[in-house]
Amino acid sequence: MSTERWLAEAIDLATANVATGGGPFGALVVRGDEVIARGVNRVTADTDPTAHAEVVAIRAACQALGDFRLHGCLLVSSCEPCPLCLSASLWARLDQVIYAADRDDAEKAGFADREFYDVLSRPRDTWPLKIDQLRPGTESDPFTAWTTRLDRTDY
């Protein structure tokens, strides 16, 4: 199947999701010529701010393949992935991301994608979310436990 066909399917998923009360985002995870998983924005349906279409599709693809790594896979999205979805794509080790609409299109529809990209490029002390580090002296214990465990699954 062609990239244009996958993009058309992602856009159709997004449009259909709006008709059922969801957000205007759809995504596919593709390997070779096979669609492994599909996802639509479920933020309001699931009361889950992380249930973006791309994340839903990535989760479903990992379950379908039985692996948290999606090497050899492509994410096709109706819109440019926000920083959350881009991070999920990086963690999933996807080979490529292809999208249709961009952050400017999302902003025109009232979505804060551009704002979140902009926040990440600024110094933390200017962010709308306060982030503080506290070091109680045991902060490295989980990493020590991890690195000394011989039967761990690295990722």
Side-chain angles (χ1 to χ4, degrees):
M1 192 181 287
S2 72
T3 304
E4 291 80 14
R5 181 88 174 115
W6 292 325
L7 279 170
E9 183 176 345
I11 292 166
D12 289 346
L13 282 171
T15 304
N17 198 48
V18 171
T20 61
F25 304 96
L28 314 170
V29 174
V30 178
R31 183 175 62 183
D33 290 330
E34 178 186 9
V35 175
I36 303 298
R38 293 168 176 83
V40 293
N41 181 282
R42 299 206 35 90
V43 170
T44 57
D46 293 352
T47 58
D48 178 355
T50 68
H52 292 199
E54 298 89 341
V55 173
V56 170
I58 288 168
R59 288 174 179 160
C62 289
Q63 290 297 306
L65 296 176
D67 197 341
F68 58 88
R69 295 164 294 218
L70 297 176
H71 295 293
C73 293
L74 161 72
L75 177 69
V76 180
S77 180
S78 63
C79 188
E80 179 181 12
C82 71
L84 167 74
C85 298
L86 182 58
S87 295
S89 298
L90 289 164
W91 276 112
R93 308 297 196 261
L94 286 157
D95 287 5
Q96 184 178 7
V97 174
I98 297 174
Y99 61 90
D102 64 18
R103 63 185 85 171
D104 296 320
D105 299 310
E107 183 177 48
K108 289 174 191 169
F111 292 90
D113 298 45
R114 172 173 295 292
E115 176 185 333
F116 294 142
Y117 271 105
D118 292 346
V119 163
L120 293 174
S121 69
R122 296 191 327 241
R124 276 193 186 172
D125 63 352
T126 68
W127 290 12
L129 172 66
K130 187 176 178 183
I131 299 176
D132 294 309
Q133 180 183 26
L134 299 174
R135 296 183 71 87
T138 56
E139 62 277 351
S140 296
D141 290 356
F143 295 113
T144 301
W146 173 258
T147 57
T148 59
R149 186 175 176 127
L150 299 178
D151 64 342
R152 71 179 181 266
T153 302
D154 291 327
Y155 60 96

